[in-house]
Amino acid sequence: AGRPLTRLLPQGENGACGRAVRVGTRRSQLARIQTDSIVEMLRALYPELHFEIVAMSTTGDKILDTALSKIGEKSLFTKELENALERNEVDLVVHSLKDLPTSLPPGFTIGAVCKRENPLDAVVFHPKNCGKTLSLLPEKSVIGTSSLRRAAQLKKKFPQLEFRDIRGNLNTRLKKLDEREDFSAIILAAAGLKRMGWESRIGQLLNPEDCLYAVGQGALAVEVRAKDQEMLDMVSVLHDADTVLCCIAERAFMKRLEGGCSVPVAVSTMLKDGQVRSTLYLPGIISENLFQCMHVPCEDGPNDDVQHVGITAKNVPGQAQEAAENLGVELASLLLSKGAKHILSVARQLNDAH
């Protein structure tokens, strides 16, 4: 059960709460569904509080004619929400964790990382290709994706196919697929399709052998002001320990490599028998693809509420968080020693050139 939040509950003459807890979110249907799920959990934990949802558009929502990797902004889907958080216009913000940079602006922290939905990518086919898989599509079939990461991996796996950029929210991309003949299929995150209730549109799930997923994909994050202890206490009960540790490892890996939308960094991470296991990918632009696995024991220990790659997990053992972060850093350092720095540099140059 949630703990009493005295600052939020100044009682008026009628016994009502003094104000609502304002929750910031993007305007898209998927963002609202995700935010509603978080608010529903918080209402169950804190029935005495009233929650008000404040929706707004972000830079990434407004620029729809340019590939994400070309825009050059690290906080495409978060900046406006964080501005509102800084101005005290909202008390917390719900994000897809994969949208949050590994280095947050000063004064902010991720106060909760919720249980991860299926992190895999999914293929949605044009109605005329129903029942097929990517390997069964005719040569030169066009696949739509807004992700450099997906395109880089799938081009190598399916060299007979062509990959083109497609932008817009889930509704828009599905409409472009169904109502035009431009694309034979599009690649989307399975988690988003499930949350929208569109699992039936998934024609093929891409296993890690086919396409590793984005850092943090499938997990929802709640961002708060770092010094707002009461909000941190409130949302920390939403943390899922396994998801926290996997995502800390992934975010530490990406931070060490300085990856982002312009560099196709991909991961597959799991926690099994008290160990975090990560498989990590960089495209072999010049050298071979680089993979590495390491194991980190998740031991109990005190948690001093230190941030790990932007995450404050008050109810997850601090030693386990530190071990997960070290795993990501060590993996990235290993790849850098094998030539990853040059690969990343060339990837950025090619992206800029195009």
Side-chain angles (χ1 to χ4, degrees):
R3 285 169 283 184
L5 301 173
T6 54
R7 179 175 64 80
L8 295 176
L9 294 170
Q11 298 295 312
E13 293 180 2
N14 58 0
C17 295
R19 69 170 178 83
V21 176
R22 300 155 300 173
V23 183
T25 180
R26 291 166 59 194
R27 291 187 185 277
S28 74
Q29 184 182 356
L30 176 59
R32 290 298 302 266
I33 287 173
Q34 293 177 162
T35 301
D36 287 346
S37 71
I38 297 296
V39 169
E40 186 177 337
M41 287 189 283
L42 289 173
R43 280 180 177 143
L45 290 164
Y46 305 100
E48 72 278 12
L49 294 182
H50 173 66
F51 293 88
E52 175 187 335
I53 295 177
V54 181
M56 59 195 78
S57 296
T58 65
T59 301
D61 297 314
K62 296 171 185 175
I63 304 176
L64 298 176
D65 58 352
T66 306
L68 295 177
S69 59
K70 310 294 183 191
I71 298 175
E73 168 64 58
K74 285 187 177 181
S75 305
L76 286 175
F77 298 105
T78 62
K79 188 174 183 179
E80 288 78 5
L81 294 164
E82 287 174 335
N83 288 343
L85 192 59
E86 184 176 29
R87 295 192 296 263
N88 289 301
E89 295 170 0
V90 296
D91 300 297
L92 57 96
V93 176
V94 177
H95 302 281
S96 293
L97 181 59
K98 69 176 183 178
D99 291 337
L100 279 169
T102 53
S103 295
L104 299 181
F108 300 119
T109 190
I110 298 168
V113 178
C114 303
K115 186 174 178 61
R116 196 174 210 167
E117 186 56 78
N118 185 345
L120 298 179
D121 287 316
V123 187
V124 179
F125 292 92
H126 189 283
K128 69 181 180 183
N129 294 316
C130 225
K132 293 184 179 179
T133 62
L134 289 179
S135 60
L136 295 177
L137 289 175
E139 191 172 345
K140 302 293 185 183
S141 292
V142 177
I143 312 301
T145 174
S146 60
S147 165
L148 199 61
R149 167 190 58 83
R150 291 168 180 152
Q153 294 181 83
L154 294 174
K155 280 178 183 177
K156 182 168 184 179
K157 185 77 175 180
F158 305 99
Q160 75 278 16
L161 303 178
E162 296 182 0
F163 295 86
R164 294 182 190 167
D165 190 67
I166 182 171
R167 288 292 317 282
N169 57 38
L170 283 186
N171 311 61
T172 302
R173 279 181 272 179
L174 284 172
K175 188 174 182 181
K176 288 179 180 178
L177 173 68
D178 292 340
E179 296 182 2
R180 304 179 189 176
E181 298 292 327
D182 298 355
F183 300 99
S184 297
I186 59 176
I187 314 296
L188 301 168
L193 289 165
K194 181 176 181 180
R195 289 171 180 143
M196 292 284 281
W198 295 341
E199 276 185 288
S200 61
R201 290 303 309 267
I202 297 177
Q204 180 182 359
L205 276 176
L206 296 174
N207 293 319
E209 295 77 20
D210 296 322
C211 187
L212 299 179
Y213 43 82
V215 167
Q217 184 159 307
L220 299 181
V222 182
E223 188 178 18
V224 299
R225 291 178 288 272
K227 292 184 178 180
D228 193 339
Q229 196 62 47
E230 195 151 25
M231 278 297 150
L232 265 172
D233 288 342
M234 183 182 81
V235 303
S236 66
V237 296
L238 302 179
H239 270 307
D240 177 75
D242 288 5
T243 303
V244 167
L245 295 176
C246 288
C247 290
I248 284 176
E250 294 172 12
R251 285 171 62 82
F253 170 74
M254 176 174 261
K255 183 176 182 178
R256 178 74 177 88
L257 291 179
E258 299 180 349
C261 285
S262 63
V263 178
V265 174
V267 299
S268 175
T269 308
M270 61 184 294
L271 187 68
K272 187 176 182 180
D273 299 328
Q275 295 181 320
V276 179
R277 176 184 172 90
S278 291
T279 303
L280 308 153
Y281 169 92
L282 284 171
I285 297 171
I286 293 174
S287 61
E288 290 300 311
N289 295 338
L290 304 174
F291 292 85
Q292 184 68 27
C293 298
M294 287 185 180
H295 298 283
V296 174
C298 300
E299 301 173 353
D300 289 334
N303 182 3
D304 55 6
D305 295 348
V306 173
Q307 283 195 39
H308 294 274
V309 279
I311 297 172
T312 301
K314 297 170 67 67
N315 58 345
V316 179
Q319 290 181 10
Q321 294 184 62
E322 185 175 355
E325 183 170 6
N326 288 340
L327 165 67
V329 172
E330 289 170 13
L331 282 166
S333 298
L334 181 63
L335 296 191
L336 288 169
S337 73
K338 291 186 175 183
K341 186 173 183 179
H342 184 52
I343 292 174
L344 290 166
S345 176
V346 172
R348 291 192 179 94
Q349 290 172 13
L350 289 175
N351 181 65
D352 293 343
H354 288 87

